[in-house]
Amino acid sequence: MLELRCWLARLVSLQGVLVFCLGLGAASAQAWGDKPSAKDQPDVAALMATEIEAQMVALQLEVAEGRKTTRHRLPEALIGFYAQREYRPIWDRSERLEQLIGSLETLEADGLTPDDYYVKQLRLALPLLGSNSPADVPTRVADELRATNAYLYALYHLYNGKVDPAGLDSHWNFDPHDMSPIADSARIAESVESGQIPQLFEKIRPQHVIYRSFKAGLVHYRLLAAQGGWPSLPAGPTLKPCMVDPVVAILRQRLQITGEYSPPALLDAAGLSPAQKCLGTTSLATSSAGLIESTSDDATTDNVVTTNNDAASSDNTALVVAASSASSAPAIDPNQVFDEYLVEAVKRFQREQYLEVDGAIGPATRAALNISVQSRIDQIRVNLDRARWLLHNIPNDMVLVDVAGFKITYVKAGLPVWRSRVQVGMAYRTSPIFKSEINYITLNPTWTVPPTILRKDVLPKIRKDVGYLHKNRMRVLDSSGKEINPANVNWSSPGNVTIRQDAGEGAALGKAVIRFPNSYAVYLHDTPHQKLFDKSQRAFSSGCIRVERALELVELLLADTPSWDADAINTALAAGKTRNVTLAKRVPILLAYWTVDALSETQIAFKPDIYARDAAVLAALNRSN
């Protein structure tokens, strides 16, 4: 009877189980007048197993009723973990729990927050591990399940990311990775029992150079933050080469902290300092030498001097040297001179930030310089999670489109064999982030104007001038695909018509389209808009990806397709006829969005968040489990 009552009590609260069972046992002993012997003492491990089983049964009911579902199915993992152990506790030794706590603390280097994994609570659990008191069993079971939850969550987050990308992006179609090949239930338990938790954590992290680079970048920028970060540049006019301004000294310090600027040797081969090369050989020669402020439009504030040592070629700067030792003009601080070395440092910063590389400090460059060190740390953390979304089981052969980086890479056997620049969707017509497989290529493609572009771009132009259609070699088709006369269409309300542009010179899709199945009508294509590739930020398209040197990629993709070498491709293009060529072997394509660049295993750079997506990921990343 006692056993039956205890079995039924498993489905009630932990406290009820223990009080009920232990209370009946004590009452029975008192009734017989016996003193409890050692062997009559409750088996704490068995009591814990009983309660763990009861909680897993209750959890199983919640899962079955759909009240406990998550994208990572961790409730099922927790149930399976204890079922295969027959519900025996695993965190019953201090060395195991201490190793788990130590491993959880290393998650900070992955951009995760250790306290999200109950580190503080688990530290408080350590003193109770040696207790055999039944009164401590409720707390020990709670600590046991908390430790296992933390363990499983940490493993999953290292493998698939903490943030659910599908919850932030309706286009997302990457499935969570199955981590069972690396860590099934038996291996997860074995790692605890054999003291291999740190090794399992390391193994389950993405084994990719991008991830290592991001982690190294996080260490570096946290160190900069600990040292005080960097100064901000105050608002002011555009700073240009050879200008003199107190803000230049701040700029020099800012770029020296982040490594773009390194102080040069004081004098060059001609015996001139960098500042003297800008201002002239005598301008800094005496302590009383000074410069009178330029009247240039770019130097309108106090203490700003614009200079140029090539007066014949300058139409907006002036240099006036006050050489008299009696002059009251202050001496020029060389640190305030925007010399050639600082200009090169600015250009390096601009290149890495996807800014226009002009060596000047205009509004966009000033804004990028003034992004705080904490914001950069957050940006790295966001991209570490994005890396965890994607970097497991990356195909050895693939086309990777880096949307925020405006670039494309063709990877063969795990190595990049071709790179180019791309133009991506505008901020209000974003390129979707998804995966697919390239299956065929269209040579000399026609272009069927998508409904959104037809409505927002093409129809307004036709309404102004119906001759727009002829000028752009566009045909009007009815719902059955039959060509109709544009003059017979009421362009104020055209109804169900389709507009298609013929292939040829200046066609919107250029000479080739690279196609892959997707529900967004997105593809890679050639383009007549070649000059736009010279821009640093290239969000110009309506969602599709415009590829520079697209025919080179076409040739690479068709390399495994019989009878389609470079000569065959050129012959088909010259014929002018639209033709579809199916690839003999499909090639995976990934459209990815990262706002950090991995320049090497130890160096990173930052990209603009062109679609303003970082904030949502950061908010989800900072949310407690």
Side-chain angles (χ1 to χ4, degrees):
M1 188 64 170
L2 177 60
E3 291 177 358
L4 177 59
R5 290 176 183 175
C6 286
W7 180 84
L8 292 173
R10 292 181 199 169
L11 299 180
V12 300
S13 69
L14 173 62
Q15 183 177 4
V17 172
L18 295 173
V19 170
F20 187 70
C21 295
L22 296 176
L24 283 177
S28 177
Q30 289 175 3
W32 288 96
D34 293 337
K35 293 183 179 179
S37 64
K39 71 176 184 177
D40 291 328
Q41 292 294 327
D43 184 340
V44 171
L47 286 172
M48 289 182 67
T50 298
E51 181 55 28
I52 291 169
E53 182 180 4
Q55 293 208 23
M56 293 303 100
V57 169
L59 182 58
Q60 182 66 60
L61 291 174
E62 291 187 34
V63 170
E65 294 173 2
R67 292 188 288 120
K68 199 79 173 179
T69 57
T70 62
R71 73 181 178 108
H72 35 58
R73 307 186 68 83
L74 283 181
E76 292 94 326
L78 184 66
I79 294 166
F81 179 84
Y82 279 106
Q84 60 92 25
R85 291 184 54 78
E86 298 180 343
Y87 307 103
R88 291 177 292 109
I90 196 169
W91 307 103
D92 52 356
R93 299 182 185 177
S94 60
E95 62 269 19
R96 293 178 181 177
L97 192 55
E98 286 172 346
Q99 190 178 76
L100 174 64
I101 292 169
S103 296
L104 294 174
E105 288 175 336
T106 68
L107 298 181
E108 188 170 14
D110 297 274
L112 299 169
T113 304
D115 283 345
D116 285 347
Y117 304 90
Y118 318 120
V119 166
K120 290 181 180 178
Q121 296 94 320
L122 294 178
R123 285 200 176 281
L124 295 175
L126 284 167
L128 285 182
L129 288 184
S131 171
N132 286 318
S133 170
D136 290 332
V137 169
T139 303
R140 288 191 59 186
V141 169
D143 290 336
E144 167 77 21
L145 296 181
R146 184 180 292 115
T148 305
N149 266 302
Y151 185 37
L152 295 177
Y153 267 101
L155 291 173
Y156 187 88
H157 290 169
L158 282 177
Y159 200 65
N160 276 299
K162 178 183 176 183
V163 179
D164 179 7
L168 302 178
D169 182 1
S170 60
H171 299 312
W172 187 264
N173 71 340
F174 296 82
D175 296 324
H177 307 293
D178 178 13
M179 67 182 190
S180 59
I182 295 177
D184 56 22
S185 292
R187 198 170 309 178
I188 289 173
E190 169 60 26
S191 294
V192 177
E193 293 169 337
S194 62
Q196 299 290 306
I197 298 174
Q199 290 81 352
L200 181 59
F201 272 42
E202 187 56 38
K203 187 174 183 180
I204 211 163
R205 289 179 170 97
Q207 306 298 308
H208 199 284
V209 62
I210 290 176
Y211 197 74
R212 293 193 294 272
S213 178
F214 288 178
K215 285 188 68 177
L218 184 59
V219 170
H220 177 65
Y221 278 84
R222 280 176 167 163
L223 177 61
L224 293 182
Q227 294 170 347
W230 49 72
S232 293
L233 276 63
T238 296
L239 301 177
K240 295 183 177 180
C242 283
M243 286 180 65
V244 179
D245 190 307
V247 176
V248 173
I250 301 174
L251 171 64
R252 193 183 307 275
Q253 180 189 7
R254 163 67 178 83
L255 293 179
Q256 187 167 353
I257 288 172
T258 49
E260 291 86 5
Y261 174 79
S262 296
L266 183 60
L267 302 177
D268 66 4
L272 299 177
S273 71
Q276 287 174 323
K277 291 177 70 175
C278 265
L279 306 181
T281 58
T282 62
S283 300
L284 302 172
T286 64
S287 61
S288 61
L291 295 180
I292 296 178
E293 184 177 1
S294 166
T295 59
S296 164
D297 290 340
D298 288 317
T300 57
T301 60
D302 294 341
N303 301 320
V304 177
V305 182
T306 304
T307 69
N308 192 317
N309 63 344
D310 184 1
S313 64
S314 173
D315 59 1
N316 67 347
T317 60
L319 170 66
V320 179
V321 180
S324 170
S325 60
S327 170
S328 61
I332 296 173
D333 180 355
N335 282 322
Q336 297 182 9
V337 180
F338 200 164
D339 61 57
E340 61 180 318
Y341 293 97
L342 187 55
V343 170
E344 288 305 309
V346 170
K347 288 181 177 180
R348 176 183 172 187
F349 177 85
Q350 290 171 328
R351 277 191 296 270
E352 293 181 353
Q353 302 286 327
Y354 294 77
L355 299 166
E356 295 302 319
V357 183
D358 58 7
I361 307 298
T365 301
R366 192 185 300 258
L369 286 164
N370 285 348
I371 293 175
S372 70
V373 66
Q374 184 57 53
S375 294
R376 291 309 194 191
I377 289 170
D378 290 340
Q379 193 170 349
I380 300 168
R381 292 178 59 227
V382 163
N383 285 274
L384 275 164
D385 214 51
R386 287 189 175 124
R388 292 187 285 267
W389 299 348
L390 292 178
L391 289 182
H392 291 287
N393 306 319
I394 287 286
N396 284 328
D397 295 353
M398 68 171 176
V399 171
L400 175 63
V401 179
D402 178 358
V403 174
F406 312 106
K407 55 193 174 188
I408 184 171
T409 305
Y410 184 39
V411 178
K412 289 279 288 183
L415 298 174
V417 297
W418 180 85
R419 291 186 175 95
S420 189
R421 299 180 290 188
V422 298
Q423 300 169 34
V424 302
M426 294 173 279
Y428 59 93
R429 293 183 186 172
T430 62
S431 296
I433 307 304
F434 66 101
K435 66 176 179 179
S436 186
E437 289 185 328
I438 298 169
N439 55 347
Y440 74 99
I441 292 168
T442 303
L443 302 176
N444 295 316
T446 61
W447 179 48
T448 300
V449 181
T452 301
I453 298 177
L454 175 62
R455 183 176 67 256
K456 293 185 176 180
D457 299 336
V458 175
L459 280 179
K461 295 175 182 177
I462 296 174
R463 288 166 182 155
K464 289 182 179 180
D465 177 16
V466 74
Y468 172 85
L469 292 164
H470 177 72
K471 294 172 186 175
N472 289 277
R473 303 190 319 283
M474 290 179 168
R475 303 175 186 271
V476 184
L477 310 176
D478 63 17
S479 57
S480 64
K482 181 180 178 181
E483 186 175 357
I484 56 179
N485 189 337
N488 297 331
V489 177
N490 176 9
W491 290 108
S492 296
S493 181
N496 190 19
V497 300
T498 298
I499 296 180
R500 187 180 68 202
Q501 183 185 49
D502 292 339
E505 195 66 30
L509 303 185
K511 296 181 178 180
V513 173
I514 299 167
R515 302 188 186 273
F516 37 92
N518 65 89
S519 60
Y520 318 112
V522 167
Y523 37 79
L524 311 181
H525 66 89
D526 186 22
T527 178
H529 304 291
Q530 293 293 310
K531 289 185 178 180
L532 293 178
F533 287 114
D534 292 331
K535 298 290 185 179
S536 296
Q537 296 188 29
R538 298 182 289 277
F540 300 123
S541 83
S542 295
C544 288
I545 310 297
R546 302 171 182 171
V547 182
E548 186 181 33
R549 309 190 329 270
L551 293 180
E552 293 179 8
L553 180 56
V554 167
E555 183 178 343
L556 289 169
L557 292 171
L558 290 176
D560 295 328
T561 302
S563 304
W564 281 101
D565 58 11
D567 290 339
I569 294 170
N570 291 331
T571 299
L573 290 172
K577 181 180 178 181
T578 301
R579 184 166 183 178
N580 291 327
V581 183
T582 301
L583 272 64
K585 180 182 178 182
R586 291 189 173 200
V587 177
I589 179 169
L590 276 63
L591 279 73
Y593 189 89
W594 287 300
T595 57
V596 172
D597 259 337
L599 302 182
S600 69
E601 285 212 23
T602 59
Q603 187 179 8
I604 62 170
F606 299 96
K607 311 174 193 176
D609 183 12
I610 58 172
Y611 295 158
R613 293 181 173 176
D614 282 3
V617 179
L618 180 63
L621 191 61
N622 286 339
R623 198 173 298 129
S624 297
N625 292 330

